[in-house]
Amino acid sequence: MRIARFAHGGDVGYGIVEEVQPDGAAGAAAGAEAEGLVVAELIGHPFGIGDESVRLTGARYPLADVRLLAPVLPSKVVAVGKNYADHAREMGGEPPEDPVIFLKPSTAVVGPREPIIYPAHLSERVDFEGELAVVIGRLCRQVPPERVPEVVFGYTCANDVTARDLQAKDGQWARAKGFDTFCPLGPWIETDADPSDLELTTIVNGEIRQNSRTSLLLHDVTALIAYVSAVMTLLPGDVLLTGTPAGVGPLKDGDEVSVTIEGIGTLTNGVATGD
Ligand code: MN
């Protein structure tokens, strides 16, 4: 099931993204294109409830007629550094034995098609990092690996936008990772994905820049949630970024960057200079 948060007219809500069948009936979504997709509006929000209790308002909108928003408003975004060996090496080192985690502020989150604002007053090097994001569905702490599936709501695409010069300069990464708009998420949450071996592709201005598979994660989703939840309570809607593969590189004003994950969808954002 694909769960989107969207705006239609003046209203904001959650909905299930479905494919319109040739006979006009809606079914499970299969394609990633806006054509032929509709959003069936949900009553309330989808977190903390089972599939049986998903209730629809009855309203359906063509996907092309709504604006997709970031699919969650997390209390925090927990991210993992150097979780693909080839990326750790391109950053000039070997991957650490244990996951290195950091936080991105909730205010960094933006949705599909919202611009990444380049903070030209403070940085001269802003990079894209395409990543698989995990959305937490239940309040949890100290989750043992065998119970991780119970706390995962679903998966979406993320761009862990990074001011690379500030990351090197500061040591601590709060500035480099924390600018407003530095955490695009979307286009929706896929609740049925198996994250063990999905292709991940990042494209900038039509050119493939990153292409890898989640089977190459050094610490997989199960290990990461157990590791992070041993430290901090995770709340419904919290997001875990699982790390980026090799191929990271700079963005500039006017660029368009897309992160596509097999079975989930494509997250696209432009880049605009801010002040
Ligand atoms: Mn990252």
Side-chain angles (χ1 to χ4, degrees), residues 194-220:
D194 172 355
S196 59
D197 187 26
L198 300 175
E199 184 177 34
L200 184 157
T201 307
T202 306
I203 291 175
V204 180
N205 302 332
E207 186 179 325
I208 295 177
R209 303 295 296 277
Q210 295 183 287
N211 183 244
S212 189
R213 303 195 68 87
T214 58
S215 52
L216 296 173
L217 286 170
L218 296 172
H219 305 281
D220 66 12

PDB file of all heavy atoms in Angstrom, residues 194-220:
ATOM      1  N   ASP A 194      10.023  -4.896   0.667  1.00  0.00           N
ATOM      2  CA  ASP A 194      11.045  -5.692   1.349  1.00  0.00           C
ATOM      3  C   ASP A 194      12.366  -4.952   1.118  1.00  0.00           C
ATOM      4  O   ASP A 194      12.830  -4.864  -0.025  1.00  0.00           O
ATOM      5  CB  ASP A 194      11.102  -7.099   0.756  1.00  0.00           C
ATOM      6  CG  ASP A 194      12.272  -7.916   1.292  1.00  0.00           C
ATOM      7  OD1 ASP A 194      13.104  -7.367   2.054  1.00  0.00           O
ATOM      8  OD2 ASP A 194      12.366  -9.096   0.942  1.00  0.00           O
ATOM      9  N   PRO A 195      12.978  -4.408   2.172  1.00  0.00           N
ATOM     10  CA  PRO A 195      14.137  -3.518   1.963  1.00  0.00           C
ATOM     11  C   PRO A 195      15.451  -4.246   1.737  1.00  0.00           C
ATOM     12  O   PRO A 195      16.500  -3.615   1.650  1.00  0.00           O
ATOM     13  CB  PRO A 195      14.187  -2.738   3.277  1.00  0.00           C
ATOM     14  CG  PRO A 195      13.723  -3.734   4.287  1.00  0.00           C
ATOM     15  CD  PRO A 195      12.633  -4.540   3.586  1.00  0.00           C
ATOM     16  N   SER A 196      15.431  -5.566   1.630  1.00  0.00           N
ATOM     17  CA  SER A 196      16.694  -6.308   1.663  1.00  0.00           C
ATOM     18  C   SER A 196      17.521  -6.193   0.383  1.00  0.00           C
ATOM     19  O   SER A 196      18.739  -6.333   0.424  1.00  0.00           O
ATOM     20  CB  SER A 196      16.431  -7.783   1.993  1.00  0.00           C
ATOM     21  OG  SER A 196      15.573  -8.356   1.036  1.00  0.00           O
ATOM     22  N   ASP A 197      16.887  -5.936  -0.763  1.00  0.00           N
ATOM     23  CA  ASP A 197      17.662  -5.864  -2.002  1.00  0.00           C
ATOM     24  C   ASP A 197      16.927  -5.033  -3.042  1.00  0.00           C
ATOM     25  O   ASP A 197      16.421  -5.548  -4.036  1.00  0.00           O
ATOM     26  CB  ASP A 197      17.946  -7.273  -2.543  1.00  0.00           C
ATOM     27  CG  ASP A 197      18.887  -7.244  -3.742  1.00  0.00           C
ATOM     28  OD1 ASP A 197      19.678  -6.289  -3.856  1.00  0.00           O
ATOM     29  OD2 ASP A 197      18.825  -8.180  -4.569  1.00  0.00           O
ATOM     30  N   LEU A 198      16.879  -3.714  -2.823  1.00  0.00           N
ATOM     31  CA  LEU A 198      16.195  -2.803  -3.743  1.00  0.00           C
ATOM     32  C   LEU A 198      17.228  -1.955  -4.472  1.00  0.00           C
ATOM     33  O   LEU A 198      18.190  -1.468  -3.862  1.00  0.00           O
ATOM     34  CB  LEU A 198      15.237  -1.887  -2.961  1.00  0.00           C
ATOM     35  CG  LEU A 198      14.136  -2.590  -2.168  1.00  0.00           C
ATOM     36  CD1 LEU A 198      13.341  -1.560  -1.356  1.00  0.00           C
ATOM     37  CD2 LEU A 198      13.217  -3.373  -3.095  1.00  0.00           C
ATOM     38  N   GLU A 199      17.011  -1.753  -5.766  1.00  0.00           N
ATOM     39  CA  GLU A 199      17.901  -0.866  -6.520  1.00  0.00           C
ATOM     40  C   GLU A 199      17.637   0.591  -6.134  1.00  0.00           C
ATOM     41  O   GLU A 199      16.478   1.003  -6.008  1.00  0.00           O
ATOM     42  CB  GLU A 199      17.681  -1.057  -8.020  1.00  0.00           C
ATOM     43  CG  GLU A 199      18.648  -0.226  -8.861  1.00  0.00           C
ATOM     44  CD  GLU A 199      18.481  -0.453 -10.360  1.00  0.00           C
ATOM     45  OE1 GLU A 199      17.336  -0.677 -10.791  1.00  0.00           O
ATOM     46  OE2 GLU A 199      19.491  -0.401 -11.080  1.00  0.00           O
ATOM     47  N   LEU A 200      18.719   1.342  -5.948  1.00  0.00           N
ATOM     48  CA  LEU A 200      18.625   2.771  -5.615  1.00  0.00           C
ATOM     49  C   LEU A 200      19.396   3.551  -6.671  1.00  0.00           C
ATOM     50  O   LEU A 200      20.553   3.228  -6.960  1.00  0.00           O
ATOM     51  CB  LEU A 200      19.215   3.016  -4.226  1.00  0.00           C
ATOM     52  CG  LEU A 200      19.143   4.429  -3.631  1.00  0.00           C
ATOM     53  CD1 LEU A 200      19.239   4.368  -2.110  1.00  0.00           C
ATOM     54  CD2 LEU A 200      20.219   5.352  -4.174  1.00  0.00           C
ATOM     55  N   THR A 201      18.740   4.539  -7.265  1.00  0.00           N
ATOM     56  CA  THR A 201      19.363   5.329  -8.329  1.00  0.00           C
ATOM     57  C   THR A 201      19.153   6.809  -8.064  1.00  0.00           C
ATOM     58  O   THR A 201      18.034   7.231  -7.771  1.00  0.00           O
ATOM     59  CB  THR A 201      18.746   4.977  -9.703  1.00  0.00           C
ATOM     60  OG1 THR A 201      18.822   3.556  -9.898  1.00  0.00           O
ATOM     61  CG2 THR A 201      19.484   5.672 -10.840  1.00  0.00           C
ATOM     62  N   THR A 202      20.228   7.585  -8.152  1.00  0.00           N
ATOM     63  CA  THR A 202      20.114   9.036  -8.051  1.00  0.00           C
ATOM     64  C   THR A 202      20.501   9.641  -9.390  1.00  0.00           C
ATOM     65  O   THR A 202      21.551   9.309  -9.956  1.00  0.00           O
ATOM     66  CB  THR A 202      21.031   9.599  -6.957  1.00  0.00           C
ATOM     67  OG1 THR A 202      20.768   8.918  -5.731  1.00  0.00           O
ATOM     68  CG2 THR A 202      20.797  11.091  -6.773  1.00  0.00           C
ATOM     69  N   ILE A 203      19.631  10.511  -9.894  1.00  0.00           N
ATOM     70  CA  ILE A 203      19.832  11.141 -11.197  1.00  0.00           C
ATOM     71  C   ILE A 203      19.847  12.656 -11.008  1.00  0.00           C
ATOM     72  O   ILE A 203      18.961  13.207 -10.330  1.00  0.00           O
ATOM     73  CB  ILE A 203      18.707  10.716 -12.172  1.00  0.00           C
ATOM     74  CG1 ILE A 203      18.862   9.222 -12.507  1.00  0.00           C
ATOM     75  CG2 ILE A 203      18.713  11.568 -13.441  1.00  0.00           C
ATOM     76  CD1 ILE A 203      17.747   8.659 -13.363  1.00  0.00           C
ATOM     77  N   VAL A 204      20.868  13.321 -11.562  1.00  0.00           N
ATOM     78  CA  VAL A 204      20.930  14.781 -11.522  1.00  0.00           C
ATOM     79  C   VAL A 204      20.892  15.291 -12.957  1.00  0.00           C
ATOM     80  O   VAL A 204      21.739  14.907 -13.778  1.00  0.00           O
ATOM     81  CB  VAL A 204      22.207  15.272 -10.798  1.00  0.00           C
ATOM     82  CG1 VAL A 204      22.250  16.809 -10.781  1.00  0.00           C
ATOM     83  CG2 VAL A 204      22.272  14.717  -9.378  1.00  0.00           C
ATOM     84  N   ASN A 205      19.903  16.102 -13.251  1.00  0.00           N
ATOM     85  CA  ASN A 205      19.738  16.667 -14.596  1.00  0.00           C
ATOM     86  C   ASN A 205      19.791  15.578 -15.671  1.00  0.00           C
ATOM     87  O   ASN A 205      20.416  15.739 -16.714  1.00  0.00           O
ATOM     88  CB  ASN A 205      20.814  17.729 -14.875  1.00  0.00           C
ATOM     89  CG  ASN A 205      20.766  18.839 -13.848  1.00  0.00           C
ATOM     90  OD1 ASN A 205      19.710  19.134 -13.279  1.00  0.00           O
ATOM     91  ND2 ASN A 205      21.901  19.454 -13.596  1.00  0.00           N
ATOM     92  N   GLY A 206      19.145  14.459 -15.396  1.00  0.00           N
ATOM     93  CA  GLY A 206      19.047  13.391 -16.387  1.00  0.00           C
ATOM     94  C   GLY A 206      20.219  12.425 -16.409  1.00  0.00           C
ATOM     95  O   GLY A 206      20.199  11.446 -17.157  1.00  0.00           O
ATOM     96  N   GLU A 207      21.250  12.684 -15.600  1.00  0.00           N
ATOM     97  CA  GLU A 207      22.453  11.832 -15.619  1.00  0.00           C
ATOM     98  C   GLU A 207      22.509  10.970 -14.359  1.00  0.00           C
ATOM     99  O   GLU A 207      22.349  11.497 -13.236  1.00  0.00           O
ATOM    100  CB  GLU A 207      23.686  12.744 -15.681  1.00  0.00           C
ATOM    101  CG  GLU A 207      24.991  12.003 -15.851  1.00  0.00           C
ATOM    102  CD  GLU A 207      26.164  12.985 -15.921  1.00  0.00           C
ATOM    103  OE1 GLU A 207      25.974  14.095 -16.488  1.00  0.00           O
ATOM    104  OE2 GLU A 207      27.234  12.651 -15.400  1.00  0.00           O
ATOM    105  N   ILE A 208      22.726   9.666 -14.547  1.00  0.00           N
ATOM    106  CA  ILE A 208      22.809   8.766 -13.382  1.00  0.00           C
ATOM    107  C   ILE A 208      24.088   9.048 -12.601  1.00  0.00           C
ATOM    108  O   ILE A 208      25.192   9.009 -13.159  1.00  0.00           O
ATOM    109  CB  ILE A 208      22.773   7.289 -13.826  1.00  0.00           C
ATOM    110  CG1 ILE A 208      21.418   6.964 -14.460  1.00  0.00           C
ATOM    111  CG2 ILE A 208      23.032   6.362 -12.630  1.00  0.00           C
ATOM    112  CD1 ILE A 208      21.311   5.550 -15.008  1.00  0.00           C
ATOM    113  N   ARG A 209      23.945   9.334 -11.320  1.00  0.00           N
ATOM    114  CA  ARG A 209      25.104   9.652 -10.476  1.00  0.00           C
ATOM    115  C   ARG A 209      25.341   8.610  -9.390  1.00  0.00           C
ATOM    116  O   ARG A 209      26.445   8.451  -8.908  1.00  0.00           O
ATOM    117  CB  ARG A 209      24.894  11.041  -9.826  1.00  0.00           C
ATOM    118  CG  ARG A 209      24.664  12.146 -10.831  1.00  0.00           C
ATOM    119  CD  ARG A 209      25.893  12.394 -11.703  1.00  0.00           C
ATOM    120  NE  ARG A 209      26.998  12.863 -10.908  1.00  0.00           N
ATOM    121  CZ  ARG A 209      27.169  14.137 -10.542  1.00  0.00           C
ATOM    122  NH1 ARG A 209      26.335  15.065 -10.957  1.00  0.00           N
ATOM    123  NH2 ARG A 209      28.197  14.472  -9.805  1.00  0.00           N
ATOM    124  N   GLN A 210      24.288   7.966  -8.936  1.00  0.00           N
ATOM    125  CA  GLN A 210      24.412   6.888  -7.958  1.00  0.00           C
ATOM    126  C   GLN A 210      23.549   5.726  -8.429  1.00  0.00           C
ATOM    127  O   GLN A 210      22.409   5.937  -8.862  1.00  0.00           O
ATOM    128  CB  GLN A 210      23.931   7.314  -6.564  1.00  0.00           C
ATOM    129  CG  GLN A 210      24.751   8.412  -5.917  1.00  0.00           C
ATOM    130  CD  GLN A 210      24.262   8.723  -4.508  1.00  0.00           C
ATOM    131  OE1 GLN A 210      23.206   9.320  -4.334  1.00  0.00           O
ATOM    132  NE2 GLN A 210      25.037   8.331  -3.497  1.00  0.00           N
ATOM    133  N   ASN A 211      24.086   4.510  -8.340  1.00  0.00           N
ATOM    134  CA  ASN A 211      23.300   3.334  -8.678  1.00  0.00           C
ATOM    135  C   ASN A 211      23.834   2.174  -7.849  1.00  0.00           C
ATOM    136  O   ASN A 211      24.981   1.768  -7.995  1.00  0.00           O
ATOM    137  CB  ASN A 211      23.390   3.023 -10.180  1.00  0.00           C
ATOM    138  CG  ASN A 211      22.524   1.845 -10.566  1.00  0.00           C
ATOM    139  OD1 ASN A 211      23.013   0.818 -11.008  1.00  0.00           O
ATOM    140  ND2 ASN A 211      21.222   1.964 -10.354  1.00  0.00           N
ATOM    141  N   SER A 212      23.003   1.698  -6.930  1.00  0.00           N
ATOM    142  CA  SER A 212      23.457   0.662  -6.020  1.00  0.00           C
ATOM    143  C   SER A 212      22.257  -0.166  -5.596  1.00  0.00           C
ATOM    144  O   SER A 212      21.161  -0.022  -6.153  1.00  0.00           O
ATOM    145  CB  SER A 212      24.149   1.303  -4.802  1.00  0.00           C
ATOM    146  OG  SER A 212      24.776   0.316  -4.004  1.00  0.00           O
ATOM    147  N   ARG A 213      22.474  -1.041  -4.639  1.00  0.00           N
ATOM    148  CA  ARG A 213      21.384  -1.877  -4.132  1.00  0.00           C
ATOM    149  C   ARG A 213      21.449  -1.892  -2.613  1.00  0.00           C
ATOM    150  O   ARG A 213      22.531  -1.867  -2.020  1.00  0.00           O
ATOM    151  CB  ARG A 213      21.497  -3.315  -4.665  1.00  0.00           C
ATOM    152  CG  ARG A 213      21.524  -3.409  -6.176  1.00  0.00           C
ATOM    153  CD  ARG A 213      21.268  -4.819  -6.648  1.00  0.00           C
ATOM    154  NE  ARG A 213      19.902  -5.246  -6.382  1.00  0.00           N
ATOM    155  CZ  ARG A 213      18.866  -5.037  -7.197  1.00  0.00           C
ATOM    156  NH1 ARG A 213      19.023  -4.393  -8.334  1.00  0.00           N
ATOM    157  NH2 ARG A 213      17.676  -5.469  -6.868  1.00  0.00           N
ATOM    158  N   THR A 214      20.265  -1.967  -1.976  1.00  0.00           N
ATOM    159  CA  THR A 214      20.238  -1.957  -0.511  1.00  0.00           C
ATOM    160  C   THR A 214      20.820  -3.237   0.084  1.00  0.00           C
ATOM    161  O   THR A 214      21.102  -3.286   1.278  1.00  0.00           O
ATOM    162  CB  THR A 214      18.811  -1.750   0.015  1.00  0.00           C
ATOM    163  OG1 THR A 214      17.965  -2.796  -0.502  1.00  0.00           O
ATOM    164  CG2 THR A 214      18.259  -0.403  -0.414  1.00  0.00           C
ATOM    165  N   SER A 215      21.034  -4.259  -0.739  1.00  0.00           N
ATOM    166  CA  SER A 215      21.721  -5.461  -0.243  1.00  0.00           C
ATOM    167  C   SER A 215      23.161  -5.150   0.149  1.00  0.00           C
ATOM    168  O   SER A 215      23.798  -5.938   0.861  1.00  0.00           O
ATOM    169  CB  SER A 215      21.696  -6.554  -1.315  1.00  0.00           C
ATOM    170  OG  SER A 215      22.174  -6.060  -2.548  1.00  0.00           O
ATOM    171  N   LEU A 216      23.671  -3.992  -0.302  1.00  0.00           N
ATOM    172  CA  LEU A 216      25.051  -3.606   0.020  1.00  0.00           C
ATOM    173  C   LEU A 216      25.150  -2.759   1.286  1.00  0.00           C
ATOM    174  O   LEU A 216      26.244  -2.304   1.645  1.00  0.00           O
ATOM    175  CB  LEU A 216      25.671  -2.867  -1.168  1.00  0.00           C
ATOM    176  CG  LEU A 216      25.809  -3.722  -2.439  1.00  0.00           C
ATOM    177  CD1 LEU A 216      26.283  -2.875  -3.618  1.00  0.00           C
ATOM    178  CD2 LEU A 216      26.765  -4.889  -2.198  1.00  0.00           C
ATOM    179  N   LEU A 217      24.023  -2.517   1.960  1.00  0.00           N
ATOM    180  CA  LEU A 217      24.082  -1.818   3.256  1.00  0.00           C
ATOM    181  C   LEU A 217      24.960  -2.628   4.214  1.00  0.00           C
ATOM    182  O   LEU A 217      24.773  -3.836   4.365  1.00  0.00           O
ATOM    183  CB  LEU A 217      22.678  -1.693   3.871  1.00  0.00           C
ATOM    184  CG  LEU A 217      21.717  -0.671   3.260  1.00  0.00           C
ATOM    185  CD1 LEU A 217      20.321  -0.883   3.835  1.00  0.00           C
ATOM    186  CD2 LEU A 217      22.196   0.743   3.535  1.00  0.00           C
ATOM    187  N   LEU A 218      25.893  -1.966   4.871  1.00  0.00           N
ATOM    188  CA  LEU A 218      26.758  -2.674   5.828  1.00  0.00           C
ATOM    189  C   LEU A 218      25.950  -3.095   7.054  1.00  0.00           C
ATOM    190  O   LEU A 218      26.150  -4.174   7.607  1.00  0.00           O
ATOM    191  CB  LEU A 218      27.925  -1.777   6.230  1.00  0.00           C
ATOM    192  CG  LEU A 218      28.873  -1.424   5.072  1.00  0.00           C
ATOM    193  CD1 LEU A 218      29.879  -0.375   5.515  1.00  0.00           C
ATOM    194  CD2 LEU A 218      29.596  -2.673   4.580  1.00  0.00           C
ATOM    195  N   HIS A 219      25.078  -2.212   7.517  1.00  0.00           N
ATOM    196  CA  HIS A 219      24.167  -2.518   8.623  1.00  0.00           C
ATOM    197  C   HIS A 219      22.758  -2.396   8.045  1.00  0.00           C
ATOM    198  O   HIS A 219      22.364  -1.324   7.580  1.00  0.00           O
ATOM    199  CB  HIS A 219      24.370  -1.541   9.772  1.00  0.00           C
ATOM    200  CG  HIS A 219      25.799  -1.478  10.245  1.00  0.00           C
ATOM    201  ND1 HIS A 219      26.349  -2.427  11.079  1.00  0.00           N
ATOM    202  CD2 HIS A 219      26.791  -0.606   9.947  1.00  0.00           C
ATOM    203  CE1 HIS A 219      27.625  -2.125  11.296  1.00  0.00           C
ATOM    204  NE2 HIS A 219      27.924  -1.031  10.628  1.00  0.00           N
ATOM    205  N   ASP A 220      22.003  -3.482   8.070  1.00  0.00           N
ATOM    206  CA  ASP A 220      20.701  -3.456   7.402  1.00  0.00           C
ATOM    207  C   ASP A 220      19.641  -2.789   8.284  1.00  0.00           C
ATOM    208  O   ASP A 220      19.931  -2.353   9.404  1.00  0.00           O
ATOM    209  CB  ASP A 220      20.287  -4.868   6.964  1.00  0.00           C
ATOM    210  CG  ASP A 220      20.030  -5.816   8.132  1.00  0.00           C
ATOM    211  OD1 ASP A 220      19.949  -5.369   9.302  1.00  0.00           O
ATOM    212  OD2 ASP A 220      19.909  -7.033   7.862  1.00  0.00           O
TER     213      ASP A 220
END
